[in-house]
Amino acid sequence: MHSKVDIGDPLDRVESRLKVTGTAKYAAEYNLPNEVYGVLVTSTIAKGRIKSIDTKAAQRATGVLSIISHENAPKVPGYSASVNNEGARVYGQEFRLFFDNKIYHNHQPVALAIADSFARADYAASLVKVEYEPEPHDTDMRDSLEKAIKPARHDDYSRGVAGAFKSAPIQVEQAYETPFQVHNPMEPHVTTAVWEGNDKVTVYNKTQATKISQKEIAKAFDLSEENVRAYSPFVGGAFGSSSRVWPQEMAAIMGAKATGKPVQVVLKRDQVFNMVGYRPRSVQRFGIGASADGTLTGITHEAYGSTSQYEQFTERITDPTKSMYSCPNLNATYRLVRLDMSTPCWTRGPGETSGSFALESAMDELAYKLKMDPLQLRRKNFAAKDPENNKPWSSNYLRECYEAGAKRFGWSKRKSEPRSMRDGDWLIGMGMASGVYKAVRDRAVARAKLSQDGSLLVQSAVADTGPGSATIFTQIAADAMGIDVEKTRFEWGDSTLPYAPGQFGSHTTASVGSAVYEVCKALKQRLQQLATEQAIQAARTEDLLFENNAISLKDGSSNIPYTDILKQQSLPELEVIKESEGNPAMEKYSGKSFCANFVEVRVHALTGEVRVNRVVSAVDCGKVMNQKTAESQVYGSVVWGIGIALMEEGIIDHRYGRHVNNDLAKYYVPVNADVPDIEVVVIDKPDPVLDPMGAKGMGEIPLIGFSAAVANAVYHATGKRIRELPITPEKLV
Amino acid sequence: MEEQKANKEGQSEQPHNDTRRDFLKQSSLLTALVLTPPTVFNAAAARLDEKVAEKFEKVPVTLEINRVKQKLSVEPRVTLLDLLREQLNLTGTKKGCDYGQCGACTVHVDGVRVNSCLTFAVMLDGKKITTIEGLAEGDELHPMQQAFIKHDGFQCGYCTPGQIMSAVACVREGHANSEAEIREYMSGNICRCGAYPNIVKAIQEVKNGGQKV
Amino acid sequence: MNQFEYTRPTKQKAALEQKAKSPATKFIAGGTNLIDLMKHGVENPQKLVDINRLPLHKIEQTKTGLRIGALVANSTVAEDKQVLEKFPLLSQALVSGASAQLRHMATVGGNIMQRTRCYYFYDTALPCNKREPGSGCGALEGINRIHAIFGFSDKCIAVHPSDMCVALAALDAKVLVTGPNGDRSISFLDFHRLPGDQPEKDTNLGPDELILAVDIPASPFTKNVHYLKVRERASYAFALVSVAAALDIENNTIRNARLAMGGVAHKPWRLLGAEKALIGKQVSEEVFQQAAAVAMQGAKAFEHNEYKLKLAPNSIVQALKNAAGMA
């Protein structure tokens, strides 16, 4: 039975052939009849007003169809409706494209040039002359901390005594900073929009959430949701940056309205830096205290993040601090600095990534003060239940991560003294860090269709931006139904399919996977009911086997192929829809994924260059759904962690309020040569509560704490503590 | 070798040809659309000049793309990347940065891997171009494509065609002799999903497999 | 990008004539830098003269050394047998630059003519005297972590981005050019300019001139050489600082030495003083440190590039150690 597939098997990705042959179609690649191209013109000031827009030359350019700005843009009914923050995922007034003459940030889109080729649209865009009335702006977070506000949607947290770390015998009090980081998926943000009449629009879209696109676009253009179709089977990476509706979507839809043609709008790389979110800067004051034996007695975490003037973007920056370690006294605050920049957006491990840099660096500093092994300090303060709310963990194999990771890494060979290991001109350092990330499950719906030819189709609107969700849902369905994997097809990435939440927050497997699992369970029940054999109909579930494309009794006395059941009932197909409503049992539990990262770095003694030499990433993500794609997810987080630790930094010239390194030659992300051997250790033990597959999430957990593990290794190598990312040669030379 | 005739707009594929003709036909209808904003009228009026302008602005170029010779007409400012994606519907070649900073647009020109975003199509007159669509032999995937599937050398898939074109060249160039050499010579292809370790494994397998690459 | 006229001459004479006719005309070869700049709106030529069909693709031995045609691809030079044998320093420098794809496209002439990667030069919304004379230098009081520590002016503090040129400067190469008045040979050290009052002028190449080839004189620097490139990313990144070091060592004595640095000045920065400090000395880290100290005389940093005052001498020492086989 070579085609039998189980959950966990390293099945090749179901869409792999399309991806390696270049036939997978991304949002800019449909080449629809009459399709035209839109290029956005962006502001050159950070704050002020548009005084005038001169589009004459642009309109005269060859191939130009239309130049759209706030002066002539098609009306967006939703822009004029009153602000309803109840439903909005970010508090405040969303950015309204071509709404008025106000400039809120540099590179704000102010016009759209549409022409019959990209080159012509691009040239026309360069001919649009905009005059501004600038106003004083502020993009410098560090100089504006005193102006920080308490976010409307974030509460301060405390347990025990606030500031207790100050009375601890051993304490660390430091400030840690992380810079702007930009998602930079390889596919720039893009939408191709097509109207059918005045009340129906299709968007071929780069989105992590077809249902959010559908809903938001329907709201903006006052359409019924069924008249908005977001079609996004292939998305060239997103990492959080395609979890909202952005200017390129609105521009394409407006452009298509104005021209009566399909319009594609692809952001240029510099626009990707300024229009579709980024990880906000953080400044974090962190205090941690312990008794002489290393027992934590108090933690204070005061975090500052940045946001725009029009929205309050909040992230989970203090979450790891609250849950990671057993500590009786803890107080955490989070404040926002409003800047004249676009609104940040969820970025892989949003909040936890920056917050854990502070927490896990401080733990390392504390370990040195205690003269204690950093791993031992963490083991000692293991939290038997979630200290944030005293709930038991739904599962927690963090200690197994510590043990397995340390063993594989050879942590015991580490000399404790900083600057004690060397290989020629290179200083060697070893560091580690722990990570914790929420494991939750949301509502999702799946539809299953079994055909008389024995094939199974399972559908959900969920996106697959790269993690391999489509593959594991195929796998879950094939495994649950006992149907050959070749006969199982999963369809995704289309808002006309049953509801799925966005593919973010590491909750896709638990949410949509549960719906897939449950719809298969329902389908099996239907098959049992429809089976003509009395023995099968009457059997208890536990006495039945659903294997080899057939129902059978475990005692072997009866066996009916699914196809026979459909034929006997004269059903061309059998369709079941199932809604999976999260999991109420989880209210009593705290659901988290855990990890322990072990990193070896080489730091050049003279030049200060840092190279990550070796990584062991040990992860508790519940039951693994696909060994192959799971490993790839860990690789992804590790590569992100290397980028964040060593090179990624959005640099702004505050005099102009403008990014100066907004492309991939000046904002570095890791290349192949930066990435060493990565050993992945997956604990692979099912979570008994969260979902029927036993899966937690794994798209983000290995990233949490990773940058601190690198910084800790750099300290071990050099004796220099870097508290401001990234760790570039200039900080070490 | 086949030869396809293309019309002066530079299309060679029949369906797309029709598309283009429809477009030209409908563009004049556009002016009649009352609901369109005023700017469209002006732009449409400017289009009258376009047919004249096109004669001067476009130049003929002959390219052999995936073993098919194509006589095309392009504006000199059009990059090979935009020509492939827009005019020839060969969208397997990806636009990641458009500035030669990511490698997603990698194709082979006369067997050499280059960034198609930094190449004006007109400069390639008479050259042979291979894109990801031209790599497989019919249904038979190229060994590198197979190895990428086997080793999960991609996640989102967007950088993948560029990675594969680059990987094939990397082996052919003789720069796949060690893990370190592969990493270095594949560093012109950025993968934001972080599939690098698997990409290296895929290349090593092909290199060591002894198949013709 | 604006429309432009495109020509593709096959004869040198025609190429020169076509360029001379229009001041807004540019030669194009590999295009890796020019097309990038055109996309950014930094360069807006009205006409491009494609010189790829000119016969400048050869690497040939001459009486005095090696002549590399202006149109030879960077990757071809890097892997050329004669280059590897006689000028390994050049090969090392080339391989450290850009990516495999870009090295296939970029030519020797184009590499020499490539322009700075200064942030302000690339963003047409920001001031830059090099791009727009008189608009001011954005970097002077702005973000200047990647900028010059030598030879800058108050008009421009940008650095030259090439790796190849640093090696060629160290190897005493000459640039053979041609123009309306015939051929001339320009010493590599005189080819690129310091910004002074005219940062818009990167080189001393005449407006009607064309690079034909690079001549590298034969030298004893075939063994003890090293090109060190310091960067935050392991590959496909510009140098924060780079050093081309070449030593001629006999019996542990330095008979001759060449040193040049990249990432520190508006041109490849030859370290003649430091070379003198090395010649005749015994190989030792201390001697290298003394040479590095000489090299750094006159260096001055700005707000964000003070680290270069330490990184540069450290890199010199490391490059010399590597060249001498001490690392």
Side-chain angles (χ1 to χ4, degrees), chain A residues 168-172 288-299 324-328 362-383 402:
Chain A
I170 311 288
Q171 43 180 281
V172 169
I288 186 165
S291 55
D293 69 351
T295 306
L296 294 183
T297 57
I299 295 176
M324 190 79 246
Y325 300 110
S326 172
C327 180
M363 280 292 281
D364 200 64
E365 298 202 45
L366 184 67
Y368 281 98
K369 278 204 172 170
L370 287 160
K371 296 193 172 25
M372 193 169 173
D373 181 278
L375 175 59
Q376 185 50 34
L377 176 63
R378 286 168 173 87
R379 278 195 193 114
K380 185 167 185 70
N381 292 286
F382 176 79
Y402 289 148

Side-chain angles (χ1 to χ4, degrees), chain A residues 635-657:
Chain A
Y635 291 158
S637 276
V638 168
V639 172
W640 268 63
I642 291 173
I644 289 167
L646 300 184
M647 58 191 86
E648 294 190 38
E649 178 179 18
I651 304 170
I652 289 173
D653 184 330
H654 297 301
R655 296 171 303 166
Y656 307 104

Side-chain angles (χ1 to χ4, degrees), chain A residues 590-626:
Chain A
S590 171
K592 308 279 182 190
S593 294
F594 300 92
C595 75
N597 279 303
F598 297 82
V599 172
E600 181 179 294
V601 297
R602 294 163 68 84
V603 184
H604 196 280
L606 282 177
T607 66
E609 287 168 291
V610 183
R611 303 286 180 249
V612 173
N613 195 39
R614 209 156 60 81
V615 173
V616 173
S617 187
V619 185
D620 165 25
C621 59
K623 170 87 182 138
V624 166
M625 298 289 100
N626 178 320

Side-chain angles (χ1 to χ4, degrees), chain A residues 492-509:
Chain A
W492 75 96
D494 184 343
S495 67
T496 61
L497 300 177
Y499 174 85
Q503 194 200 31
F504 42 61
S506 293
H507 75 328
T508 308
T509 299

Side-chain angles (χ1 to χ4, degrees), chain A residues 13 17 19-20 26 29 31 34 65 118 120 182-183 258 269 465 628 632 635-636 640 648 664 670, chain B residues 26 36 39 42-43 50 75 85-86 89 94 96 101 139 145 150 152 155-156 187 192-193 196 201:
Chain A
R13 283 169 200 262
R17 196 179 169 96
K19 284 181 175 171
V20 302
Y26 297 80
E29 300 175 348
N31 280 333
N34 305 328
L65 278 82
F118 167 75
R120 288 170 169 184
V182 185
H183 310 80
R269 189 49 66 174
T465 64
K628 192 183 284 198
S632 290
Y635 291 158
W640 268 63
E648 294 190 38
L664 294 173
Chain B
Q26 287 177 11
T36 47
T39 48
N42 296 333
E50 191 202 341
E75 288 182 345
R85 287 173 65 83
E86 284 180 27
N89 203 21
K94 305 302 184 195
Q101 302 163 352
D139 281 348
Q145 291 171 314
K150 180 179 165 190
D152 211 30
Q155 294 180 32
C156 81
S187 281
R192 189 56 159 159
C193 296
Y196 297 131
K201 283 178 218 159

Side-chain angles (χ1 to χ4, degrees), chain A residues 425 653 655 658 669 730, chain C residues 120 123 138 145 233 314 318:
Chain A
D425 294 319
D653 184 330
R655 296 171 303 166
R658 197 166 164 92
V669 300
E730 65 205 76
Chain C
Y120 300 90
D123 187 345
R145 67 183 287 270
R233 181 159 87 178
N314 283 5
Q318 186 64 43

